[in-house]
Amino acid sequence: DLYTDVAETYAEVGNPEMALSTYQRLMDREETNQPSVWERMAKCYREMGTMDAAQEYAEAVIHADPSDIDIRLWLAEVYEELGQVDKAYSMIQAVELIQEEERNEQESASASLTQNTAAGAAAAATAFMQTENGKHMASQQLSPMEIWEAPSSVVQIERRKPSEIAIRRRREAEEERKRCIMAMRNAEIAFKKLDLLKPAIDESQDPAAIREYCVTAQRLYNDWRHMRAFFRSDRNKPFIMYRNTVMANLESCVLGDDVDVRSTSSGQATVQRRLAQMKKRLSKKKKRSGEQASTGSLAAAAAAADGGDEREETVVAMSFRGQPFDRWFDMFLMYGKCLCLDGEPENALDMLDLIFQSS
């Protein structure tokens, strides 16, 4: 849908107000007034700091799909930011119940498959025992269909069908993963090009090399300044991690030689890490507020998640687009130098000012 593409573009470039205006048009149409749109609007409202509206829209999404773990975790974070610790804790408990139900379904399906496979093997063994020289005795004729009837009719366990929101989120996560990987490859190529241009600039201040450096560095600079995670509403808080889970997974893998950044298997681990960290935060807040609610399982799970260490685990990002932050810093300084050499000191000042505002 064109409106959806426009709204997502506004959101990606850091303009949640215009994104909301476009999403509102989608809500005005019955066929597009869907939970997926409400979820996007909730995230835009949170980006703008309008937390009450973010809460309202997220709660509507959960009402439409109670089994959606991702939006429940997201809403728990909103509750936490609003100081509604009890609601956040209740949401975490609901997530754990959903996960337990899913595990029980998987175990039940696995047990049924094992049981029926064993029955089929037993039937085949019985048939073989009743043969003579590899042929069935006349009195115990069994057809292949009879021999393999059990394993060919394995009971299908009824499983919860993925919701429309869950299907859309998986599709978007896959598309985002591909975009992130492409962006990482483009950044790597750009940095290699800048490394080749740098000697000519340092040694002879070659005008052609300076201009080419500025053009390439400008693309990297635009990518950086459009990353909203670098520009928090509270400037006093340091940058910790990307809100984009897909990018966070890829960036956390980028320095590991034995990790395939194309894999999405770390998504479940990310959910569990977020869940454990939130448990610890909420447990501490409950204790500080002097509430007497039972938090035994909460504290135990939190302690198990961090090996008993009371300090909250924080995952600090060390790279962007697969390149260490130090390399980005050096590139921006060189870009500013090249802009000055190219007669654009005002642009260099503006660029460096924005970069030093990023957290």
Side-chain angles (χ1 to χ4, degrees), residues 8 12 171-186 244 246-247 250 321:
E8 289 180 353
E12 287 174 0
R171 183 173 62 250
E172 290 181 349
E174 178 63 19
E175 293 173 353
E176 180 64 18
R177 181 184 66 86
K178 292 178 180 178
R179 285 196 296 269
C180 288
I181 291 174
M182 182 60 68
M184 292 170 71
R185 290 172 179 168
N186 291 341
N244 184 320
V246 176
M247 180 183 293
L250 292 175
R321 301 303 190 210

Side-chain angles (χ1 to χ4, degrees), residues 76-317:
E77 293 173 352
V78 171
Y79 284 147
E80 184 183 5
E81 291 180 29
L82 289 170
Q84 301 176 10
V85 178
D86 286 336
K87 285 188 175 182
Y89 175 50
S90 297
M91 193 60 64
I92 292 299
Q93 287 181 312
V95 169
E96 290 181 318
L97 286 175
I98 294 171
Q99 289 180 324
E100 184 177 358
E101 290 178 2
E102 291 179 348
R103 284 193 297 269
N104 290 339
E105 286 183 359
Q106 292 174 358
E107 290 173 1
S108 177
S110 177
S112 297
L113 178 60
T114 301
Q115 180 180 359
N116 284 277
T117 302
T126 301
F128 183 79
M129 292 290 291
Q130 294 172 340
T131 62
E132 183 180 54
N133 296 327
K135 297 182 180 179
H136 293 297
M137 292 188 298
S139 59
Q140 298 291 337
Q141 290 289 336
L142 291 177
S143 68
M145 182 59 70
E146 290 172 324
I147 293 174
W148 300 108
E149 182 178 3
S152 65
S153 59
V154 174
V155 177
Q156 296 297 319
I157 302 299
E158 183 178 354
R159 302 176 66 89
R160 182 187 298 115
K161 294 182 179 180
S163 66
E164 177 264 339
I165 302 174
I167 294 173
R168 176 191 60 78
R169 184 179 288 112
R170 292 172 188 171
R171 183 173 62 250
E172 290 181 349
E174 178 63 19
E175 293 173 353
E176 180 64 18
R177 181 184 66 86
K178 292 178 180 178
R179 285 196 296 269
C180 288
I181 291 174
M182 182 60 68
M184 292 170 71
R185 290 172 179 168
N186 291 341
E188 182 179 6
I189 293 171
F191 272 100
K192 287 182 178 178
K193 180 179 179 180
L194 295 180
D195 289 341
L196 294 175
L197 291 170
K198 193 171 182 295
I201 298 172
D202 291 337
E203 295 171 5
S204 60
Q205 295 187 358
D206 179 42
I210 291 174
R211 284 191 294 272
E212 190 62 28
Y213 195 102
C214 288
V215 170
T216 303
Q218 176 70 34
R219 291 198 293 269
L220 293 171
Y221 167 66
N222 287 338
D223 193 17
W224 179 282
R225 68 190 181 96
H226 287 150
M227 180 51 58
R228 288 174 291 170
F230 293 151
F231 302 92
R232 301 169 63 97
S233 56
D234 186 351
R235 298 292 185 185
N236 294 322
K237 291 184 178 180
F239 172 73
I240 297 297
M241 181 51 72
Y242 305 101
R243 287 187 179 178
N244 184 320
T245 305
V246 176
M247 180 183 293
N249 290 339
L250 292 175
E251 294 290 346
S252 66
C253 295
V254 73
L255 298 180
D257 296 333
D258 58 342
V259 178
D260 182 358
V261 299
R262 295 169 297 178
S263 173
T264 57
S265 61
S266 56
Q268 186 63 30
T270 301
V271 170
Q272 294 303 118
R273 183 170 61 245
R274 289 174 60 196
L275 190 60
Q277 290 176 358
M278 194 174 302
K279 283 180 179 179
K280 285 184 282 185
R281 292 198 304 269
L282 295 176
S283 179
K284 292 176 182 178
K285 290 179 180 180
K286 275 180 166 289
K287 290 178 181 178
R288 284 198 299 266
S289 65
E291 295 178 6
Q292 300 301 316
S294 173
T295 59
S297 60
L298 183 68
D306 66 354
D309 189 352
E310 294 183 355
R311 294 175 299 175
E312 180 177 344
E313 176 189 3
T314 55
V315 181
V316 180

Side-chain angles (χ1 to χ4, degrees), residues 13-86:
V13 300
N15 194 336
E17 294 86 355
M18 289 301 298
L20 277 173
S21 176
T22 309
Y23 285 135
Q24 188 61 54
R25 291 177 176 269
L26 293 173
M27 286 191 63
D28 293 339
R29 298 159 53 191
E30 183 176 356
E31 64 272 17
T32 55
N33 186 15
Q34 301 293 331
S36 58
V37 174
W38 310 340
E39 181 184 356
R40 292 183 177 103
M41 294 181 71
K43 293 180 178 179
C44 287
Y45 277 121
R46 185 185 183 186
E47 193 71 27
M48 295 166 56
T50 313
M51 304 301 292
D52 290 341
Q55 173 185 335
E56 179 182 354
Y57 278 90
E59 288 174 346
V61 175
I62 291 175
H63 181 75
D65 182 12
S67 64
D68 191 323
I69 287 179
D70 291 321
I71 193 64
R72 281 185 178 275
L73 274 176
W74 189 88
L75 181 56
E77 293 173 352
V78 171
Y79 284 147
E80 184 183 5
E81 291 180 29
L82 289 170
Q84 301 176 10
V85 178
D86 286 336

